Every structure is written in C-alpha cells, then in structure tokens.
Amino acid sequence: MMMKMVKALVFSILIFLVIQGVGLARNSATVMVSATVVARVSHSITHQEKTITITKGDIEKGYVEIPSAMILQIKTNQRNGYVLWFEGGSELFKEILVIEKGRVIVLPPSGGFIHQPYSGSPVEIKELSFRFKLKEDTHPGYYPFPFVVKAFPL
C-alpha cells in the first residue's frame, strides 16, 4: 500500500515536471521525496492457559511454574521494537517472572509493560513461560490465568 502511494507520488511529480515546459533540458530541478511508514503491531494468541493449578507442593516451594503458558504471533514493522502489555493481575502473587528464550523479566503482581526488541522478521512467535511467586497465605486450588496480553508500537 505504501509502495503504491510512493510510486503515485513520483509519477505525479514527473508529470508535473513534463507539464512545466519544454525547456526542461535547459533547466534543472531538485525534487525531494519522503514517505512515512505508519507504525503497526498486531498480535494473535495461539495458545493461553485458562487456569493456574496451585498444589501444596507449589506452596511449599513458594512458586508455581507454567511452561509455555502463552504463545503469541506478533506482526510488526517496528524496527525499534514494541511492547507487550500484561493487563490484569492477582492478589495471590508477590511477583511474576515472564520467561522467553532465556530472558527473564520480573513484573509486579498487577502486570506491566515489557519491551520487545525487533527480531528482524515481520512475523514472530513468542512462547512465554511464567513463574508465579506465591504469597504465604495462598491456598491450593484452581485459579484463573491472571493476565490478558496486548502488543503496542513504541
């Protein structure tokens, strides 16, 4: 779409220059063309755990881990990266560790932003694992997954 707009602009400038006169051979003109690419980031959730199961063993360890709890497909044209916004949270946790390809980011129990660097690809798959550090008064049971994740341009 952007390429079509740039081609149309260049074509219009060339037509304008031709119309300006027959004397183009004697005159010179400098034309500057610029284009702005609108920042875009979109995401779709391929997989997300619906619940978190907390056992007595998890409480004794002080945390519960959920490997591959969320898989996202991100499409972006942002060379400076984008952010993932973890919205929601839970009173059950002291903090949340988000793990992706060895990178560990600590979030408060209320969620927050995580900067994602540009991978060089217009489409990437993010497989996120979580470690939820439990508060001392947590009880075993099934709890809803605490976050909704959204992607935004910087």
Side-chain angles (χ1 to χ4, degrees):
M1 173 79 174
M2 184 58 68
M3 187 58 84
K4 287 181 181 180
M5 289 175 27
V6 170
K7 286 180 182 178
L9 177 63
V10 170
F11 182 73
S12 298
I13 291 170
L14 289 174
I15 294 297
F16 174 76
L17 292 174
V18 169
I19 292 174
Q20 282 299 309
V22 181
L24 278 180
R26 290 175 285 183
N27 298 328
S28 66
T30 302
V31 177
M32 296 186 66
V33 176
S34 67
T36 301
V37 177
V38 177
R40 285 188 286 146
V41 175
S42 66
H43 73 283
S44 59
I45 298 173
T46 306
H47 167 77
Q48 181 175 345
E49 293 294 324
K50 303 285 187 239
T51 60
I52 297 174
T53 304
I54 299 176
T55 66
K56 286 183 182 183
D58 295 327
I59 294 169
E60 290 170 6
K61 287 188 302 190
Y63 63 88
V64 61
E65 283 189 328
I66 305 177
S68 303
M70 186 177 295
I71 301 172
L72 306 166
Q73 181 183 44
I74 308 291
K75 295 179 182 179
T76 184
N77 64 351
Q78 286 296 97
R79 300 222 182 260
N80 61 342
Y82 56 92
V83 293
L84 291 179
W85 169 240
F86 291 79
E87 184 177 38
S90 175
E91 296 292 321
L92 297 172
F93 313 119
K94 293 182 200 178
E95 65 183 9
I96 292 113
L97 283 69
V98 181
I99 306 149
E100 193 246 341
K101 293 182 183 174
R103 180 179 174 206
V104 178
I105 297 93
V106 179
L107 293 177
S110 58
F113 289 99
I114 298 177
H115 175 259
Q116 299 294 303
Y118 182 63
S119 69
S121 174
V123 178
E124 60 184 275
I125 304 298
K126 293 280 184 185
E127 183 174 331
L128 305 177
S129 298
F130 293 82
R131 177 182 280 188
F132 298 97
K133 292 193 177 179
L134 304 171
K135 287 187 174 179
E136 290 75 22
D137 60 349
T138 303
H139 299 288
Y142 300 97
Y143 299 92
F145 196 83
F147 295 115
V148 173
V149 177
K150 299 176 183 174
F152 293 101
L154 289 174

